[in-house]
Amino acid sequence: MKACELKKGIKPASVMLLTGGDGYWTSYAVARLTDSIPAEERELRVEVLDGSSVDDVVFALATPSLSGGSKTVVVRGRTGKLSSAEEKALKGYCAAPAADSVLILCDEKGVFSCVKAFAAEVDCSAPDSADGKDFLRDAAERLGLKIRAPALSLLFDYCNADTGRAEKELEKIAAYAPEGGVADSELIRLLVAPDERAKAYELTNALSTGNKAAATAYLTRLAAAGVQSSAVLRSLASAYRGLLFLRISPLGDEDAAKALGVKPYAVKKMRPVARRYTPVALKALCDGLNDLEYHFKSGRISVENALDLAISRIMGVKVNV
């Protein structure tokens, strides 16, 4: 099961293994798995252990809750490998768990993979775009907000597929939405600040298709929002280095995302842009952008001139569209 599919009040199994490592979705899963405990009893019946030994975990599970009801033990932050004795002890508990206890193992690094056979697993990696957007659509409905499909896609892009951030942005959007609670793309652009990679993608996408009007409009919005020309130039240089990497690398989406330090969703968005250029053209653009950054930092030209030259050079490259 995926974390985004968990519903409020779900009854957990005796042993839950939360894999995937995304911080937001791990926290979301823990919240959903403890929702069935009455709020007034949660502090008394849920014990959170951070980086603890297996002996401490087993001891906590054997200790009654302060309210006398069933007990949930949440284990987080353990990144060091289990010793053979710890693995044996943990497998021994998970093979015959206490009837009135729930063990939630937040497994960021695969430390607890030895108990997979005994546990119900929840995938806490970031969801793909379809699942992420479905989750946000449901979250919007709970806020009384109707968000149109293009606006939802724009929000997802602006947050670089970070569903946790997007969910928080929905609260702000709901507060400012017009009567009837309908959010369109214009409202998203007005209220949501795109992250650096989203800014770079929107601009490179416009430039790579030769869409001067879209590129100009986007640059105007960035300037109005107070984004410095140096930041735009830096984002462009970083974006084109990423495009070059994707154009010449044989890595799949998951491995390429790790190499670039982005999410697989971002790689999927970048690949069509990368294919519009030849590897030679991308290498030349990367070198040119690096040179322009050096020239303005050394005082040879102004940063505004450097950005203008960068845009002109990118727009002058022949692309496959």
PDB file of all heavy atoms in Angstrom, residues 12-18 26 29-35 37 46-49 57 61 71-77 93-94 101-107 112 119-120 122 124:
ATOM      1  N   PRO A  12      -4.214  -0.414  12.024  1.00  0.00           N
ATOM      2  CA  PRO A  12      -2.916  -0.944  11.610  1.00  0.00           C
ATOM      3  C   PRO A  12      -2.736  -2.406  11.990  1.00  0.00           C
ATOM      4  O   PRO A  12      -3.405  -2.923  12.893  1.00  0.00           O
ATOM      5  CB  PRO A  12      -1.923  -0.063  12.386  1.00  0.00           C
ATOM      6  CG  PRO A  12      -2.674   0.339  13.617  1.00  0.00           C
ATOM      7  CD  PRO A  12      -4.119   0.458  13.210  1.00  0.00           C
ATOM      8  N   ALA A  13      -1.829  -3.084  11.289  1.00  0.00           N
ATOM      9  CA  ALA A  13      -1.441  -4.434  11.666  1.00  0.00           C
ATOM     10  C   ALA A  13      -0.528  -4.354  12.890  1.00  0.00           C
ATOM     11  O   ALA A  13      -0.097  -3.271  13.293  1.00  0.00           O
ATOM     12  CB  ALA A  13      -0.714  -5.100  10.505  1.00  0.00           C
ATOM     13  N   SER A  14      -0.199  -5.494  13.469  1.00  0.00           N
ATOM     14  CA  SER A  14       0.632  -5.512  14.681  1.00  0.00           C
ATOM     15  C   SER A  14       2.030  -4.973  14.411  1.00  0.00           C
ATOM     16  O   SER A  14       2.656  -4.385  15.297  1.00  0.00           O
ATOM     17  CB  SER A  14       0.720  -6.934  15.240  1.00  0.00           C
ATOM     18  OG  SER A  14      -0.546  -7.379  15.658  1.00  0.00           O
ATOM     19  N   VAL A  15       2.537  -5.202  13.174  1.00  0.00           N
ATOM     20  CA  VAL A  15       3.844  -4.680  12.792  1.00  0.00           C
ATOM     21  C   VAL A  15       3.691  -3.962  11.456  1.00  0.00           C
ATOM     22  O   VAL A  15       3.251  -4.561  10.469  1.00  0.00           O
ATOM     23  CB  VAL A  15       4.903  -5.795  12.668  1.00  0.00           C
ATOM     24  CG1 VAL A  15       6.259  -5.187  12.283  1.00  0.00           C
ATOM     25  CG2 VAL A  15       5.016  -6.591  13.963  1.00  0.00           C
ATOM     26  N   MET A  16       4.038  -2.675  11.423  1.00  0.00           N
ATOM     27  CA  MET A  16       3.960  -1.875  10.206  1.00  0.00           C
ATOM     28  C   MET A  16       5.373  -1.448   9.816  1.00  0.00           C
ATOM     29  O   MET A  16       6.123  -0.935  10.649  1.00  0.00           O
ATOM     30  CB  MET A  16       3.098  -0.627  10.421  1.00  0.00           C
ATOM     31  CG  MET A  16       1.679  -0.887  10.892  1.00  0.00           C
ATOM     32  SD  MET A  16       0.639  -1.735   9.672  1.00  0.00           S
ATOM     33  CE  MET A  16       0.793  -0.694   8.236  1.00  0.00           C
ATOM     34  N   LEU A  17       5.725  -1.653   8.550  1.00  0.00           N
ATOM     35  CA  LEU A  17       7.036  -1.276   8.039  1.00  0.00           C
ATOM     36  C   LEU A  17       6.864  -0.156   7.026  1.00  0.00           C
ATOM     37  O   LEU A  17       6.272  -0.354   5.964  1.00  0.00           O
ATOM     38  CB  LEU A  17       7.717  -2.489   7.390  1.00  0.00           C
ATOM     39  CG  LEU A  17       9.149  -2.290   6.876  1.00  0.00           C
ATOM     40  CD1 LEU A  17      10.099  -1.969   8.027  1.00  0.00           C
ATOM     41  CD2 LEU A  17       9.613  -3.529   6.129  1.00  0.00           C
ATOM     42  N   LEU A  18       7.345   1.036   7.367  1.00  0.00           N
ATOM     43  CA  LEU A  18       7.200   2.210   6.498  1.00  0.00           C
ATOM     44  C   LEU A  18       8.492   2.403   5.709  1.00  0.00           C
ATOM     45  O   LEU A  18       9.512   2.826   6.263  1.00  0.00           O
ATOM     46  CB  LEU A  18       6.882   3.461   7.313  1.00  0.00           C
ATOM     47  CG  LEU A  18       5.752   3.346   8.353  1.00  0.00           C
ATOM     48  CD1 LEU A  18       5.434   4.714   8.937  1.00  0.00           C
ATOM     49  CD2 LEU A  18       4.514   2.709   7.760  1.00  0.00           C
ATOM     50  N   THR A  26       6.291   9.679   5.363  1.00  0.00           N
ATOM     51  CA  THR A  26       6.467   8.843   6.549  1.00  0.00           C
ATOM     52  C   THR A  26       5.669   9.423   7.707  1.00  0.00           C
ATOM     53  O   THR A  26       4.956   8.701   8.415  1.00  0.00           O
ATOM     54  CB  THR A  26       7.952   8.742   6.921  1.00  0.00           C
ATOM     55  OG1 THR A  26       8.676   8.130   5.839  1.00  0.00           O
ATOM     56  CG2 THR A  26       8.146   7.895   8.167  1.00  0.00           C
ATOM     57  N   ALA A  29       1.987   8.839   7.119  1.00  0.00           N
ATOM     58  CA  ALA A  29       1.583   7.461   7.396  1.00  0.00           C
ATOM     59  C   ALA A  29       1.456   7.215   8.895  1.00  0.00           C
ATOM     60  O   ALA A  29       0.494   6.583   9.358  1.00  0.00           O
ATOM     61  CB  ALA A  29       2.590   6.489   6.775  1.00  0.00           C
ATOM     62  N   VAL A  30       2.428   7.724   9.664  1.00  0.00           N
ATOM     63  CA  VAL A  30       2.354   7.555  11.121  1.00  0.00           C
ATOM     64  C   VAL A  30       1.084   8.206  11.663  1.00  0.00           C
ATOM     65  O   VAL A  30       0.381   7.633  12.515  1.00  0.00           O
ATOM     66  CB  VAL A  30       3.607   8.159  11.795  1.00  0.00           C
ATOM     67  CG1 VAL A  30       3.424   8.202  13.316  1.00  0.00           C
ATOM     68  CG2 VAL A  30       4.845   7.346  11.444  1.00  0.00           C
ATOM     69  N   ALA A  31       0.757   9.393  11.156  1.00  0.00           N
ATOM     70  CA  ALA A  31      -0.452  10.088  11.613  1.00  0.00           C
ATOM     71  C   ALA A  31      -1.713   9.287  11.304  1.00  0.00           C
ATOM     72  O   ALA A  31      -2.612   9.157  12.140  1.00  0.00           O
ATOM     73  CB  ALA A  31      -0.527  11.467  10.968  1.00  0.00           C
ATOM     74  N   ARG A  32      -1.777   8.730  10.085  1.00  0.00           N
ATOM     75  CA  ARG A  32      -2.959   7.952   9.713  1.00  0.00           C
ATOM     76  C   ARG A  32      -3.050   6.654  10.533  1.00  0.00           C
ATOM     77  O   ARG A  32      -4.136   6.212  10.896  1.00  0.00           O
ATOM     78  CB  ARG A  32      -2.925   7.616   8.219  1.00  0.00           C
ATOM     79  CG  ARG A  32      -2.994   8.806   7.267  1.00  0.00           C
ATOM     80  CD  ARG A  32      -4.339   9.541   7.303  1.00  0.00           C
ATOM     81  NE  ARG A  32      -4.498  10.369   8.479  1.00  0.00           N
ATOM     82  CZ  ARG A  32      -3.931  11.562   8.656  1.00  0.00           C
ATOM     83  NH1 ARG A  32      -3.144  12.048   7.715  1.00  0.00           N
ATOM     84  NH2 ARG A  32      -4.137  12.261   9.739  1.00  0.00           N
ATOM     85  N   LEU A  33      -1.902   6.029  10.820  1.00  0.00           N
ATOM     86  CA  LEU A  33      -1.894   4.761  11.547  1.00  0.00           C
ATOM     87  C   LEU A  33      -2.171   4.940  13.033  1.00  0.00           C
ATOM     88  O   LEU A  33      -2.475   3.963  13.724  1.00  0.00           O
ATOM     89  CB  LEU A  33      -0.551   4.050  11.349  1.00  0.00           C
ATOM     90  CG  LEU A  33      -0.266   3.571   9.923  1.00  0.00           C
ATOM     91  CD1 LEU A  33       1.169   3.095   9.790  1.00  0.00           C
ATOM     92  CD2 LEU A  33      -1.234   2.467   9.504  1.00  0.00           C
ATOM     93  N   THR A  34      -2.084   6.165  13.520  1.00  0.00           N
ATOM     94  CA  THR A  34      -2.403   6.413  14.936  1.00  0.00           C
ATOM     95  C   THR A  34      -3.689   7.210  15.111  1.00  0.00           C
ATOM     96  O   THR A  34      -4.077   7.520  16.240  1.00  0.00           O
ATOM     97  CB  THR A  34      -1.236   7.164  15.625  1.00  0.00           C
ATOM     98  OG1 THR A  34      -0.937   8.366  14.901  1.00  0.00           O
ATOM     99  CG2 THR A  34       0.012   6.297  15.695  1.00  0.00           C
ATOM    100  N   ASP A  35      -4.359   7.512  14.006  1.00  0.00           N
ATOM    101  CA  ASP A  35      -5.615   8.273  14.061  1.00  0.00           C
ATOM    102  C   ASP A  35      -6.712   7.548  14.834  1.00  0.00           C
ATOM    103  O   ASP A  35      -7.611   8.186  15.396  1.00  0.00           O
ATOM    104  CB  ASP A  35      -6.134   8.556  12.641  1.00  0.00           C
ATOM    105  CG  ASP A  35      -5.583   9.862  12.086  1.00  0.00           C
ATOM    106  OD1 ASP A  35      -5.159  10.711  12.878  1.00  0.00           O
ATOM    107  OD2 ASP A  35      -5.552  10.012  10.852  1.00  0.00           O
ATOM    108  N   ILE A  37      -6.545   5.997  17.503  1.00  0.00           N
ATOM    109  CA  ILE A  37      -6.418   6.192  18.952  1.00  0.00           C
ATOM    110  C   ILE A  37      -7.066   7.528  19.308  1.00  0.00           C
ATOM    111  O   ILE A  37      -6.751   8.550  18.688  1.00  0.00           O
ATOM    112  CB  ILE A  37      -4.930   6.207  19.376  1.00  0.00           C
ATOM    113  CG1 ILE A  37      -4.245   4.909  18.966  1.00  0.00           C
ATOM    114  CG2 ILE A  37      -4.791   6.443  20.879  1.00  0.00           C
ATOM    115  CD1 ILE A  37      -2.743   4.928  19.153  1.00  0.00           C
ATOM    116  N   VAL A  46       0.981   6.295  22.728  1.00  0.00           N
ATOM    117  CA  VAL A  46       1.954   6.257  21.631  1.00  0.00           C
ATOM    118  C   VAL A  46       3.319   6.680  22.173  1.00  0.00           C
ATOM    119  O   VAL A  46       3.476   7.766  22.718  1.00  0.00           O
ATOM    120  CB  VAL A  46       1.541   7.196  20.479  1.00  0.00           C
ATOM    121  CG1 VAL A  46       2.605   7.162  19.383  1.00  0.00           C
ATOM    122  CG2 VAL A  46       0.185   6.792  19.908  1.00  0.00           C
ATOM    123  N   GLU A  47       4.305   5.795  22.018  1.00  0.00           N
ATOM    124  CA  GLU A  47       5.676   6.096  22.438  1.00  0.00           C
ATOM    125  C   GLU A  47       6.550   6.161  21.194  1.00  0.00           C
ATOM    126  O   GLU A  47       6.564   5.233  20.382  1.00  0.00           O
ATOM    127  CB  GLU A  47       6.190   5.030  23.394  1.00  0.00           C
ATOM    128  CG  GLU A  47       7.576   5.340  23.942  1.00  0.00           C
ATOM    129  CD  GLU A  47       8.023   4.373  25.033  1.00  0.00           C
ATOM    130  OE1 GLU A  47       7.195   3.549  25.477  1.00  0.00           O
ATOM    131  OE2 GLU A  47       9.205   4.436  25.433  1.00  0.00           O
ATOM    132  N   VAL A  48       7.279   7.260  21.042  1.00  0.00           N
ATOM    133  CA  VAL A  48       8.157   7.454  19.882  1.00  0.00           C
ATOM    134  C   VAL A  48       9.603   7.288  20.323  1.00  0.00           C
ATOM    135  O   VAL A  48      10.071   7.969  21.244  1.00  0.00           O
ATOM    136  CB  VAL A  48       7.951   8.844  19.252  1.00  0.00           C
ATOM    137  CG1 VAL A  48       8.885   9.020  18.057  1.00  0.00           C
ATOM    138  CG2 VAL A  48       6.494   9.020  18.821  1.00  0.00           C
ATOM    139  N   LEU A  49      10.315   6.371  19.668  1.00  0.00           N
ATOM    140  CA  LEU A  49      11.729   6.123  19.956  1.00  0.00           C
ATOM    141  C   LEU A  49      12.553   6.611  18.778  1.00  0.00           C
ATOM    142  O   LEU A  49      12.254   6.299  17.631  1.00  0.00           O
ATOM    143  CB  LEU A  49      11.976   4.636  20.183  1.00  0.00           C
ATOM    144  CG  LEU A  49      11.173   3.972  21.316  1.00  0.00           C
ATOM    145  CD1 LEU A  49      11.503   2.491  21.384  1.00  0.00           C
ATOM    146  CD2 LEU A  49      11.460   4.647  22.652  1.00  0.00           C
ATOM    147  N   VAL A  57      13.407  -1.057  21.974  1.00  0.00           N
ATOM    148  CA  VAL A  57      12.134  -1.196  21.262  1.00  0.00           C
ATOM    149  C   VAL A  57      11.297  -2.318  21.887  1.00  0.00           C
ATOM    150  O   VAL A  57      10.103  -2.141  22.182  1.00  0.00           O
ATOM    151  CB  VAL A  57      12.380  -1.475  19.768  1.00  0.00           C
ATOM    152  CG1 VAL A  57      11.052  -1.791  19.064  1.00  0.00           C
ATOM    153  CG2 VAL A  57      13.069  -0.290  19.104  1.00  0.00           C
ATOM    154  N   LEU A  61       7.677  -2.099  23.940  1.00  0.00           N
ATOM    155  CA  LEU A  61       6.493  -2.861  23.539  1.00  0.00           C
ATOM    156  C   LEU A  61       5.954  -3.702  24.695  1.00  0.00           C
ATOM    157  O   LEU A  61       4.744  -3.980  24.755  1.00  0.00           O
ATOM    158  CB  LEU A  61       6.828  -3.758  22.349  1.00  0.00           C
ATOM    159  CG  LEU A  61       7.034  -3.027  21.012  1.00  0.00           C
ATOM    160  CD1 LEU A  61       7.816  -3.893  20.035  1.00  0.00           C
ATOM    161  CD2 LEU A  61       5.691  -2.627  20.407  1.00  0.00           C
ATOM    162  N   LYS A  71      -0.989  -0.263  23.104  1.00  0.00           N
ATOM    163  CA  LYS A  71       0.153   0.630  22.984  1.00  0.00           C
ATOM    164  C   LYS A  71       0.727   0.584  21.577  1.00  0.00           C
ATOM    165  O   LYS A  71       0.782  -0.471  20.943  1.00  0.00           O
ATOM    166  CB  LYS A  71       1.239   0.247  23.986  1.00  0.00           C
ATOM    167  CG  LYS A  71       2.427   1.207  23.986  1.00  0.00           C
ATOM    168  CD  LYS A  71       3.381   0.884  25.112  1.00  0.00           C
ATOM    169  CE  LYS A  71       4.493   1.922  25.202  1.00  0.00           C
ATOM    170  NZ  LYS A  71       5.421   1.645  26.309  1.00  0.00           N
ATOM    171  N   THR A  72       1.149   1.758  21.087  1.00  0.00           N
ATOM    172  CA  THR A  72       1.812   1.859  19.787  1.00  0.00           C
ATOM    173  C   THR A  72       3.216   2.407  20.006  1.00  0.00           C
ATOM    174  O   THR A  72       3.391   3.426  20.682  1.00  0.00           O
ATOM    175  CB  THR A  72       1.035   2.798  18.841  1.00  0.00           C
ATOM    176  OG1 THR A  72      -0.254   2.223  18.563  1.00  0.00           O
ATOM    177  CG2 THR A  72       1.788   2.978  17.531  1.00  0.00           C
ATOM    178  N   VAL A  73       4.190   1.731  19.433  1.00  0.00           N
ATOM    179  CA  VAL A  73       5.578   2.176  19.508  1.00  0.00           C
ATOM    180  C   VAL A  73       6.037   2.546  18.107  1.00  0.00           C
ATOM    181  O   VAL A  73       5.974   1.724  17.185  1.00  0.00           O
ATOM    182  CB  VAL A  73       6.500   1.089  20.098  1.00  0.00           C
ATOM    183  CG1 VAL A  73       7.966   1.536  20.043  1.00  0.00           C
ATOM    184  CG2 VAL A  73       6.099   0.776  21.533  1.00  0.00           C
ATOM    185  N   VAL A  74       6.454   3.797  17.947  1.00  0.00           N
ATOM    186  CA  VAL A  74       6.934   4.301  16.655  1.00  0.00           C
ATOM    187  C   VAL A  74       8.449   4.426  16.731  1.00  0.00           C
ATOM    188  O   VAL A  74       8.973   5.124  17.602  1.00  0.00           O
ATOM    189  CB  VAL A  74       6.306   5.674  16.323  1.00  0.00           C
ATOM    190  CG1 VAL A  74       6.819   6.179  14.972  1.00  0.00           C
ATOM    191  CG2 VAL A  74       4.783   5.581  16.317  1.00  0.00           C
ATOM    192  N   VAL A  75       9.143   3.749  15.824  1.00  0.00           N
ATOM    193  CA  VAL A  75      10.604   3.766  15.815  1.00  0.00           C
ATOM    194  C   VAL A  75      11.075   4.600  14.630  1.00  0.00           C
ATOM    195  O   VAL A  75      10.782   4.276  13.476  1.00  0.00           O
ATOM    196  CB  VAL A  75      11.182   2.340  15.723  1.00  0.00           C
ATOM    197  CG1 VAL A  75      12.711   2.384  15.744  1.00  0.00           C
ATOM    198  CG2 VAL A  75      10.659   1.478  16.869  1.00  0.00           C
ATOM    199  N   ARG A  76      11.820   5.673  14.922  1.00  0.00           N
ATOM    200  CA  ARG A  76      12.307   6.568  13.869  1.00  0.00           C
ATOM    201  C   ARG A  76      13.811   6.778  14.033  1.00  0.00           C
ATOM    202  O   ARG A  76      14.378   6.547  15.096  1.00  0.00           O
ATOM    203  CB  ARG A  76      11.617   7.931  13.934  1.00  0.00           C
ATOM    204  CG  ARG A  76      10.105   7.881  13.983  1.00  0.00           C
ATOM    205  CD  ARG A  76       9.495   9.219  13.686  1.00  0.00           C
ATOM    206  NE  ARG A  76       9.706   9.576  12.290  1.00  0.00           N
ATOM    207  CZ  ARG A  76       8.885  10.344  11.580  1.00  0.00           C
ATOM    208  NH1 ARG A  76       7.793  10.834  12.139  1.00  0.00           N
ATOM    209  NH2 ARG A  76       9.143  10.638  10.328  1.00  0.00           N
ATOM    210  N   GLY A  77      14.438   7.233  12.938  1.00  0.00           N
ATOM    211  CA  GLY A  77      15.815   7.704  13.029  1.00  0.00           C
ATOM    212  C   GLY A  77      16.876   6.641  13.168  1.00  0.00           C
ATOM    213  O   GLY A  77      18.043   6.969  13.382  1.00  0.00           O
ATOM    214  N   TYR A  93      10.440 -10.974  17.900  1.00  0.00           N
ATOM    215  CA  TYR A  93       9.239 -10.252  18.333  1.00  0.00           C
ATOM    216  C   TYR A  93       8.208 -10.194  17.214  1.00  0.00           C
ATOM    217  O   TYR A  93       7.014 -10.451  17.438  1.00  0.00           O
ATOM    218  CB  TYR A  93       9.580  -8.824  18.773  1.00  0.00           C
ATOM    219  CG  TYR A  93       8.319  -8.045  19.079  1.00  0.00           C
ATOM    220  CD1 TYR A  93       7.695  -8.161  20.307  1.00  0.00           C
ATOM    221  CD2 TYR A  93       7.700  -7.269  18.098  1.00  0.00           C
ATOM    222  CE1 TYR A  93       6.487  -7.516  20.570  1.00  0.00           C
ATOM    223  CE2 TYR A  93       6.502  -6.610  18.349  1.00  0.00           C
ATOM    224  CZ  TYR A  93       5.900  -6.743  19.583  1.00  0.00           C
ATOM    225  OH  TYR A  93       4.697  -6.128  19.833  1.00  0.00           O
ATOM    226  N   CYS A  94       8.644  -9.843  16.001  1.00  0.00           N
ATOM    227  CA  CYS A  94       7.703  -9.646  14.888  1.00  0.00           C
ATOM    228  C   CYS A  94       7.025 -10.948  14.476  1.00  0.00           C
ATOM    229  O   CYS A  94       5.904 -10.929  13.951  1.00  0.00           O
ATOM    230  CB  CYS A  94       8.424  -9.030  13.693  1.00  0.00           C
ATOM    231  SG  CYS A  94       8.983  -7.338  13.994  1.00  0.00           S
ATOM    232  N   SER A 101      -0.342  -4.555  21.179  1.00  0.00           N
ATOM    233  CA  SER A 101       0.651  -3.535  20.819  1.00  0.00           C
ATOM    234  C   SER A 101       0.784  -3.430  19.303  1.00  0.00           C
ATOM    235  O   SER A 101       0.536  -4.400  18.576  1.00  0.00           O
ATOM    236  CB  SER A 101       2.023  -3.869  21.418  1.00  0.00           C
ATOM    237  OG  SER A 101       1.986  -3.818  22.827  1.00  0.00           O
ATOM    238  N   VAL A 102       1.164  -2.247  18.854  1.00  0.00           N
ATOM    239  CA  VAL A 102       1.442  -2.004  17.439  1.00  0.00           C
ATOM    240  C   VAL A 102       2.854  -1.443  17.328  1.00  0.00           C
ATOM    241  O   VAL A 102       3.204  -0.495  18.047  1.00  0.00           O
ATOM    242  CB  VAL A 102       0.430  -1.010  16.825  1.00  0.00           C
ATOM    243  CG1 VAL A 102       0.852  -0.627  15.407  1.00  0.00           C
ATOM    244  CG2 VAL A 102      -0.966  -1.612  16.816  1.00  0.00           C
ATOM    245  N   LEU A 103       3.641  -2.023  16.447  1.00  0.00           N
ATOM    246  CA  LEU A 103       5.003  -1.555  16.207  1.00  0.00           C
ATOM    247  C   LEU A 103       5.065  -0.916  14.819  1.00  0.00           C
ATOM    248  O   LEU A 103       4.744  -1.566  13.818  1.00  0.00           O
ATOM    249  CB  LEU A 103       5.994  -2.719  16.280  1.00  0.00           C
ATOM    250  CG  LEU A 103       7.442  -2.419  15.866  1.00  0.00           C
ATOM    251  CD1 LEU A 103       8.049  -1.330  16.737  1.00  0.00           C
ATOM    252  CD2 LEU A 103       8.286  -3.693  15.922  1.00  0.00           C
ATOM    253  N   ILE A 104       5.446   0.364  14.768  1.00  0.00           N
ATOM    254  CA  ILE A 104       5.588   1.076  13.498  1.00  0.00           C
ATOM    255  C   ILE A 104       7.067   1.380  13.295  1.00  0.00           C
ATOM    256  O   ILE A 104       7.658   2.172  14.044  1.00  0.00           O
ATOM    257  CB  ILE A 104       4.763   2.378  13.484  1.00  0.00           C
ATOM    258  CG1 ILE A 104       3.281   2.071  13.700  1.00  0.00           C
ATOM    259  CG2 ILE A 104       4.966   3.128  12.172  1.00  0.00           C
ATOM    260  CD1 ILE A 104       2.398   3.316  13.804  1.00  0.00           C
ATOM    261  N   LEU A 105       7.664   0.745  12.293  1.00  0.00           N
ATOM    262  CA  LEU A 105       9.081   0.915  12.002  1.00  0.00           C
ATOM    263  C   LEU A 105       9.245   1.859  10.815  1.00  0.00           C
ATOM    264  O   LEU A 105       8.870   1.514   9.689  1.00  0.00           O
ATOM    265  CB  LEU A 105       9.722  -0.439  11.684  1.00  0.00           C
ATOM    266  CG  LEU A 105       9.701  -1.480  12.812  1.00  0.00           C
ATOM    267  CD1 LEU A 105      10.086  -2.854  12.272  1.00  0.00           C
ATOM    268  CD2 LEU A 105      10.632  -1.062  13.945  1.00  0.00           C
ATOM    269  N   CYS A 106       9.780   3.042  11.059  1.00  0.00           N
ATOM    270  CA  CYS A 106      10.033   4.005   9.980  1.00  0.00           C
ATOM    271  C   CYS A 106      11.408   3.683   9.401  1.00  0.00           C
ATOM    272  O   CYS A 106      12.439   4.051   9.993  1.00  0.00           O
ATOM    273  CB  CYS A 106       9.981   5.435  10.514  1.00  0.00           C
ATOM    274  SG  CYS A 106       8.421   5.851  11.313  1.00  0.00           S
ATOM    275  N   ASP A 107      11.424   3.010   8.282  1.00  0.00           N
ATOM    276  CA  ASP A 107      12.658   2.430   7.752  1.00  0.00           C
ATOM    277  C   ASP A 107      13.221   3.272   6.621  1.00  0.00           C
ATOM    278  O   ASP A 107      12.985   2.994   5.441  1.00  0.00           O
ATOM    279  CB  ASP A 107      12.380   0.998   7.283  1.00  0.00           C
ATOM    280  CG  ASP A 107      13.649   0.181   7.142  1.00  0.00           C
ATOM    281  OD1 ASP A 107      14.693   0.645   7.608  1.00  0.00           O
ATOM    282  OD2 ASP A 107      13.590  -0.914   6.558  1.00  0.00           O
ATOM    283  N   PHE A 112      15.478  -2.197   8.619  1.00  0.00           N
ATOM    284  CA  PHE A 112      14.555  -3.200   9.162  1.00  0.00           C
ATOM    285  C   PHE A 112      14.006  -4.146   8.087  1.00  0.00           C
ATOM    286  O   PHE A 112      12.956  -4.771   8.281  1.00  0.00           O
ATOM    287  CB  PHE A 112      13.387  -2.500   9.867  1.00  0.00           C
ATOM    288  CG  PHE A 112      13.810  -1.605  10.997  1.00  0.00           C
ATOM    289  CD1 PHE A 112      13.531  -0.248  10.968  1.00  0.00           C
ATOM    290  CD2 PHE A 112      14.482  -2.109  12.087  1.00  0.00           C
ATOM    291  CE1 PHE A 112      13.915   0.585  12.006  1.00  0.00           C
ATOM    292  CE2 PHE A 112      14.876  -1.286  13.135  1.00  0.00           C
ATOM    293  CZ  PHE A 112      14.591   0.062  13.094  1.00  0.00           C
ATOM    294  N   ALA A 119       5.639  -8.190   8.417  1.00  0.00           N
ATOM    295  CA  ALA A 119       5.062  -6.850   8.556  1.00  0.00           C
ATOM    296  C   ALA A 119       4.145  -6.486   7.397  1.00  0.00           C
ATOM    297  O   ALA A 119       4.279  -7.018   6.287  1.00  0.00           O
ATOM    298  CB  ALA A 119       6.185  -5.813   8.669  1.00  0.00           C
ATOM    299  N   ALA A 120       3.229  -5.562   7.667  1.00  0.00           N
ATOM    300  CA  ALA A 120       2.445  -4.921   6.608  1.00  0.00           C
ATOM    301  C   ALA A 120       3.246  -3.707   6.160  1.00  0.00           C
ATOM    302  O   ALA A 120       3.603  -2.855   6.979  1.00  0.00           O
ATOM    303  CB  ALA A 120       1.082  -4.500   7.136  1.00  0.00           C
ATOM    304  N   VAL A 122       4.113  -0.219   4.085  1.00  0.00           N
ATOM    305  CA  VAL A 122       3.545   0.999   3.508  1.00  0.00           C
ATOM    306  C   VAL A 122       4.667   1.733   2.772  1.00  0.00           C
ATOM    307  O   VAL A 122       5.699   2.044   3.366  1.00  0.00           O
ATOM    308  CB  VAL A 122       2.940   1.925   4.587  1.00  0.00           C
ATOM    309  CG1 VAL A 122       2.399   3.203   3.948  1.00  0.00           C
ATOM    310  CG2 VAL A 122       1.837   1.214   5.354  1.00  0.00           C
ATOM    311  N   CYS A 124       6.371   4.745   1.571  1.00  0.00           N
ATOM    312  CA  CYS A 124       6.377   6.167   1.901  1.00  0.00           C
ATOM    313  C   CYS A 124       7.304   6.964   1.004  1.00  0.00           C
ATOM    314  O   CYS A 124       7.796   8.033   1.390  1.00  0.00           O
ATOM    315  CB  CYS A 124       6.759   6.364   3.367  1.00  0.00           C
ATOM    316  SG  CYS A 124       5.573   5.660   4.521  1.00  0.00           S
TER     317      CYS A 124
END
